Amino acid sequence: MELTGKLADAFNDQITLELQAATVYRQLAIEMDVLSLPGIAGWFRAQAAEELEHAEKFTTHMVDRAAHPRIGTLSSPEVFVETVQDAFVASLAHEKKVSESIRDLYRLAQNEGDIDSVPLLNWFIEEQVEEEATVGGILDRVKMIGNEGNGLLRLDAELATRQA
């Protein structure tokens, strides 16, 4: 039942990655505020809050298994965007990075014979499929719109309806 060794270290790394993802999304929200798109900024803020919840899920799992969660070094997000498309390209790239990290955790749990981590990791695998599909779908629409003002304002209004 106790979570130790390589898997505990990997869970700590994942906690740090989830917190880093929250920071990236906060920066993307700021970038959208700069572009005067408050609805899209709000959508990215909701994403940031979701990443904090993900970090908490890993933390809780570790504590429940007598492990000691530790946050690693967080760096300033190197996110510089000029367009909405840039923001969603950055978002999708980060989601893919998180997805691969979750898959690596799953593989490690299998190799370590840690069946207690599998339900949590299965949840995250499904979550990441959904995340990539959502961001990818928005990105596809942004590509169709381009920098066309009316389309961006409509997307901004739509994404503003997201509940945090």
Side-chain angles (χ1 to χ4, degrees):
M1 178 100 176
E2 186 175 355
L3 183 62
T4 61
K6 288 189 283 187
L7 195 54
D9 292 342
F11 269 65
N12 279 326
D13 291 344
Q14 189 66 38
I15 290 168
T16 302
L17 183 60
E18 298 290 347
L19 294 172
Q20 187 68 43
T23 305
V24 167
Y25 277 119
R26 289 292 297 158
Q27 185 63 48
L28 289 171
I30 291 167
E31 298 298 324
M32 294 302 99
D33 280 333
V34 169
L35 294 178
S36 298
L37 294 166
I40 297 172
W43 189 90
F44 280 123
R45 280 189 188 84
Q47 279 295 108
E50 191 173 283
E51 300 300 339
L52 294 175
E53 290 174 14
H54 292 172
E56 191 61 32
K57 282 183 178 283
F58 281 107
T59 300
T60 299
H61 181 80
M62 290 184 74
V63 169
D64 288 349
R65 296 195 49 208
H68 191 146
R70 296 210 182 269
I71 298 169
T73 302
L74 297 172
S75 58
S76 296
E78 294 186 23
V79 177
F80 304 100
V81 302
E82 294 181 6
T83 67
V84 173
Q85 183 171 330
D86 292 344
F88 282 99
V89 166
S91 175
L92 185 57
H94 203 74
E95 288 298 341
K96 287 182 177 185
K97 178 180 178 179
V98 171
S99 294
E100 187 56 32
S101 182
I102 298 291
R103 288 189 291 271
D104 287 344
L105 275 174
Y106 188 88
R107 290 180 197 109
L108 181 58
Q110 284 184 319
N111 290 340
E112 298 287 316
D114 188 319
I115 60 173
D116 295 332
S117 293
V118 170
L120 175 71
L121 295 174
N122 279 335
W123 184 89
F124 272 102
I125 289 167
E126 289 180 26
E127 175 72 6
Q128 285 308 121
V129 167
E130 178 185 317
E131 292 293 327
E132 285 188 37
T134 298
V135 174
I138 295 170
L139 179 57
D140 288 345
R141 293 174 61 210
V142 169
K143 287 177 180 176
M144 284 189 275
I145 294 168
N147 282 322
E148 195 273 312
N150 287 334
L152 287 176
L153 291 175
R154 184 173 176 183
L155 181 65
D156 186 64
E158 178 187 328
L159 294 182
T161 64
R162 179 180 179 183
Q163 300 296 315

